[in-house]
Amino acid sequence: MAGFWNLFRGGAQQKQRAESLYRGLMSAALAPEAYAAGVVADDLDHRVQMVSLHAAVLVWQLTRRPETQLKRLPQHIHTRVFDGFDASLRETGVGDASIARKVRKMGEHYYGLGTATAACLSVPESERIPALSDLLKRNGVAIPGREAELAGHLAALADAFEAAPSDAFLDGQAPWAAFPATNTPGVAKV
């Protein structure tokens, strides 16, 4: 009987891990530095894209880990991201009748950009930044001419995630790093 209750405790622990990883993901994706530096436009569409990119880095790394608990986390992360999309649309006053359609459209973009980002991260390390830059350009994520900056940041995140021990992810912690634009002269650190 004790094994039966452990199933529920394990599920709760997975949800706690996912929630902690989600909070870190959202903090990194919505941090003001990239927007303040003019690398990414500060509007709803570009914020969704930034969430998609950061989620893709996290999910890509979780699926590469040998631990079963980590391989199962992406679904919890995706669910939490979609709940956040729904909540943010409701906060902006979007009516119930159009929420499903808008979330579906955001979801298509989220999964498409996520799949393409994972493919870029799976190339040899020396090819990551050019592959990511091209992806960002094709999808209009970064301000034209600034794609390499964002690509470099995403590649650095991927490197940090690869170097992190699995225990960090099991503890719900990911090695998110601040966007390097904080060192750019004339950019206020918010």
PDB file of all heavy atoms in Angstrom, residues 120-132 155 159 162:
ATOM      1  N   CYS A 120      18.654  23.174 -33.955  1.00  0.00           N
ATOM      2  CA  CYS A 120      19.847  24.031 -34.012  1.00  0.00           C
ATOM      3  C   CYS A 120      20.818  23.716 -32.873  1.00  0.00           C
ATOM      4  O   CYS A 120      22.028  23.780 -33.060  1.00  0.00           O
ATOM      5  CB  CYS A 120      19.456  25.502 -33.942  1.00  0.00           C
ATOM      6  SG  CYS A 120      18.613  26.125 -35.396  1.00  0.00           S
ATOM      7  N   LEU A 121      20.287  23.389 -31.719  1.00  0.00           N
ATOM      8  CA  LEU A 121      21.145  23.081 -30.569  1.00  0.00           C
ATOM      9  C   LEU A 121      21.791  21.710 -30.704  1.00  0.00           C
ATOM     10  O   LEU A 121      22.801  21.432 -30.059  1.00  0.00           O
ATOM     11  CB  LEU A 121      20.334  23.149 -29.271  1.00  0.00           C
ATOM     12  CG  LEU A 121      19.814  24.525 -28.890  1.00  0.00           C
ATOM     13  CD1 LEU A 121      18.910  24.436 -27.675  1.00  0.00           C
ATOM     14  CD2 LEU A 121      20.947  25.512 -28.668  1.00  0.00           C
ATOM     15  N   SER A 122      21.224  20.860 -31.541  1.00  0.00           N
ATOM     16  CA  SER A 122      21.736  19.502 -31.719  1.00  0.00           C
ATOM     17  C   SER A 122      22.846  19.400 -32.759  1.00  0.00           C
ATOM     18  O   SER A 122      23.415  18.333 -32.947  1.00  0.00           O
ATOM     19  CB  SER A 122      20.582  18.558 -32.074  1.00  0.00           C
ATOM     20  OG  SER A 122      19.662  18.521 -31.002  1.00  0.00           O
ATOM     21  N   VAL A 123      23.139  20.504 -33.442  1.00  0.00           N
ATOM     22  CA  VAL A 123      24.256  20.490 -34.408  1.00  0.00           C
ATOM     23  C   VAL A 123      25.560  20.581 -33.623  1.00  0.00           C
ATOM     24  O   VAL A 123      25.553  20.902 -32.434  1.00  0.00           O
ATOM     25  CB  VAL A 123      24.140  21.661 -35.433  1.00  0.00           C
ATOM     26  CG1 VAL A 123      22.829  21.584 -36.202  1.00  0.00           C
ATOM     27  CG2 VAL A 123      24.301  23.010 -34.767  1.00  0.00           C
ATOM     28  N   PRO A 124      26.703  20.329 -34.271  1.00  0.00           N
ATOM     29  CA  PRO A 124      27.981  20.502 -33.561  1.00  0.00           C
ATOM     30  C   PRO A 124      28.081  21.909 -32.964  1.00  0.00           C
ATOM     31  O   PRO A 124      27.572  22.878 -33.535  1.00  0.00           O
ATOM     32  CB  PRO A 124      29.023  20.291 -34.661  1.00  0.00           C
ATOM     33  CG  PRO A 124      28.339  19.412 -35.657  1.00  0.00           C
ATOM     34  CD  PRO A 124      26.887  19.829 -35.629  1.00  0.00           C
ATOM     35  N   GLU A 125      28.717  21.986 -31.819  1.00  0.00           N
ATOM     36  CA  GLU A 125      28.785  23.236 -31.059  1.00  0.00           C
ATOM     37  C   GLU A 125      29.264  24.423 -31.890  1.00  0.00           C
ATOM     38  O   GLU A 125      28.760  25.539 -31.749  1.00  0.00           O
ATOM     39  CB  GLU A 125      29.686  23.038 -29.840  1.00  0.00           C
ATOM     40  CG  GLU A 125      29.462  24.052 -28.761  1.00  0.00           C
ATOM     41  CD  GLU A 125      30.176  23.687 -27.477  1.00  0.00           C
ATOM     42  OE1 GLU A 125      30.184  22.503 -27.103  1.00  0.00           O
ATOM     43  OE2 GLU A 125      30.722  24.615 -26.868  1.00  0.00           O
ATOM     44  N   SER A 126      30.207  24.203 -32.797  1.00  0.00           N
ATOM     45  CA  SER A 126      30.751  25.288 -33.617  1.00  0.00           C
ATOM     46  C   SER A 126      29.723  25.834 -34.611  1.00  0.00           C
ATOM     47  O   SER A 126      29.879  26.943 -35.127  1.00  0.00           O
ATOM     48  CB  SER A 126      31.994  24.821 -34.369  1.00  0.00           C
ATOM     49  OG  SER A 126      31.652  23.772 -35.258  1.00  0.00           O
ATOM     50  N   GLU A 127      28.663  25.081 -34.876  1.00  0.00           N
ATOM     51  CA  GLU A 127      27.641  25.497 -35.839  1.00  0.00           C
ATOM     52  C   GLU A 127      26.384  26.058 -35.180  1.00  0.00           C
ATOM     53  O   GLU A 127      25.460  26.497 -35.868  1.00  0.00           O
ATOM     54  CB  GLU A 127      27.259  24.304 -36.723  1.00  0.00           C
ATOM     55  CG  GLU A 127      28.405  23.764 -37.543  1.00  0.00           C
ATOM     56  CD  GLU A 127      28.047  22.482 -38.282  1.00  0.00           C
ATOM     57  OE1 GLU A 127      26.849  22.234 -38.519  1.00  0.00           O
ATOM     58  OE2 GLU A 127      28.977  21.722 -38.605  1.00  0.00           O
ATOM     59  N   ARG A 128      26.326  26.051 -33.857  1.00  0.00           N
ATOM     60  CA  ARG A 128      25.108  26.473 -33.150  1.00  0.00           C
ATOM     61  C   ARG A 128      24.737  27.934 -33.408  1.00  0.00           C
ATOM     62  O   ARG A 128      23.593  28.235 -33.711  1.00  0.00           O
ATOM     63  CB  ARG A 128      25.254  26.256 -31.644  1.00  0.00           C
ATOM     64  CG  ARG A 128      25.022  24.846 -31.216  1.00  0.00           C
ATOM     65  CD  ARG A 128      25.071  24.726 -29.713  1.00  0.00           C
ATOM     66  NE  ARG A 128      24.952  23.327 -29.340  1.00  0.00           N
ATOM     67  CZ  ARG A 128      25.218  22.881 -28.139  1.00  0.00           C
ATOM     68  NH1 ARG A 128      25.620  23.703 -27.173  1.00  0.00           N
ATOM     69  NH2 ARG A 128      25.090  21.599 -27.872  1.00  0.00           N
ATOM     70  N   ILE A 129      25.681  28.833 -33.224  1.00  0.00           N
ATOM     71  CA  ILE A 129      25.357  30.261 -33.349  1.00  0.00           C
ATOM     72  C   ILE A 129      24.894  30.597 -34.766  1.00  0.00           C
ATOM     73  O   ILE A 129      23.855  31.264 -34.916  1.00  0.00           O
ATOM     74  CB  ILE A 129      26.515  31.156 -32.863  1.00  0.00           C
ATOM     75  CG1 ILE A 129      26.678  30.976 -31.346  1.00  0.00           C
ATOM     76  CG2 ILE A 129      26.265  32.619 -33.206  1.00  0.00           C
ATOM     77  CD1 ILE A 129      27.857  31.715 -30.739  1.00  0.00           C
ATOM     78  N   PRO A 130      25.588  30.154 -35.814  1.00  0.00           N
ATOM     79  CA  PRO A 130      25.071  30.447 -37.162  1.00  0.00           C
ATOM     80  C   PRO A 130      23.686  29.834 -37.413  1.00  0.00           C
ATOM     81  O   PRO A 130      22.820  30.470 -38.013  1.00  0.00           O
ATOM     82  CB  PRO A 130      26.113  29.843 -38.108  1.00  0.00           C
ATOM     83  CG  PRO A 130      27.361  29.738 -37.297  1.00  0.00           C
ATOM     84  CD  PRO A 130      26.923  29.533 -35.887  1.00  0.00           C
ATOM     85  N   ALA A 131      23.467  28.608 -36.928  1.00  0.00           N
ATOM     86  CA  ALA A 131      22.166  27.960 -37.124  1.00  0.00           C
ATOM     87  C   ALA A 131      21.067  28.707 -36.373  1.00  0.00           C
ATOM     88  O   ALA A 131      19.980  28.958 -36.913  1.00  0.00           O
ATOM     89  CB  ALA A 131      22.220  26.502 -36.669  1.00  0.00           C
ATOM     90  N   LEU A 132      21.360  29.098 -35.131  1.00  0.00           N
ATOM     91  CA  LEU A 132      20.382  29.853 -34.344  1.00  0.00           C
ATOM     92  C   LEU A 132      20.135  31.235 -34.941  1.00  0.00           C
ATOM     93  O   LEU A 132      18.990  31.704 -34.986  1.00  0.00           O
ATOM     94  CB  LEU A 132      20.848  29.978 -32.889  1.00  0.00           C
ATOM     95  CG  LEU A 132      20.752  28.714 -32.042  1.00  0.00           C
ATOM     96  CD1 LEU A 132      21.561  28.869 -30.760  1.00  0.00           C
ATOM     97  CD2 LEU A 132      19.298  28.374 -31.732  1.00  0.00           C
ATOM     98  N   ALA A 155      23.069  29.970 -27.268  1.00  0.00           N
ATOM     99  CA  ALA A 155      24.122  28.955 -27.325  1.00  0.00           C
ATOM    100  C   ALA A 155      24.863  28.869 -25.989  1.00  0.00           C
ATOM    101  O   ALA A 155      25.199  27.765 -25.530  1.00  0.00           O
ATOM    102  CB  ALA A 155      25.090  29.269 -28.461  1.00  0.00           C
ATOM    103  N   ASP A 159      25.186  25.634 -23.525  1.00  0.00           N
ATOM    104  CA  ASP A 159      26.464  25.152 -22.984  1.00  0.00           C
ATOM    105  C   ASP A 159      26.388  25.016 -21.462  1.00  0.00           C
ATOM    106  O   ASP A 159      26.848  24.021 -20.893  1.00  0.00           O
ATOM    107  CB  ASP A 159      27.606  26.101 -23.349  1.00  0.00           C
ATOM    108  CG  ASP A 159      27.934  26.105 -24.839  1.00  0.00           C
ATOM    109  OD1 ASP A 159      27.505  25.177 -25.559  1.00  0.00           O
ATOM    110  OD2 ASP A 159      28.620  27.060 -25.275  1.00  0.00           O
ATOM    111  N   GLU A 162      24.272  22.040 -20.541  1.00  0.00           N
ATOM    112  CA  GLU A 162      24.975  20.771 -20.756  1.00  0.00           C
ATOM    113  C   GLU A 162      25.982  20.500 -19.635  1.00  0.00           C
ATOM    114  O   GLU A 162      26.186  19.351 -19.248  1.00  0.00           O
ATOM    115  CB  GLU A 162      25.698  20.782 -22.102  1.00  0.00           C
ATOM    116  CG  GLU A 162      24.763  20.598 -23.276  1.00  0.00           C
ATOM    117  CD  GLU A 162      25.499  20.582 -24.598  1.00  0.00           C
ATOM    118  OE1 GLU A 162      26.250  21.528 -24.884  1.00  0.00           O
ATOM    119  OE2 GLU A 162      25.308  19.604 -25.345  1.00  0.00           O
TER     120      GLU A 162
END
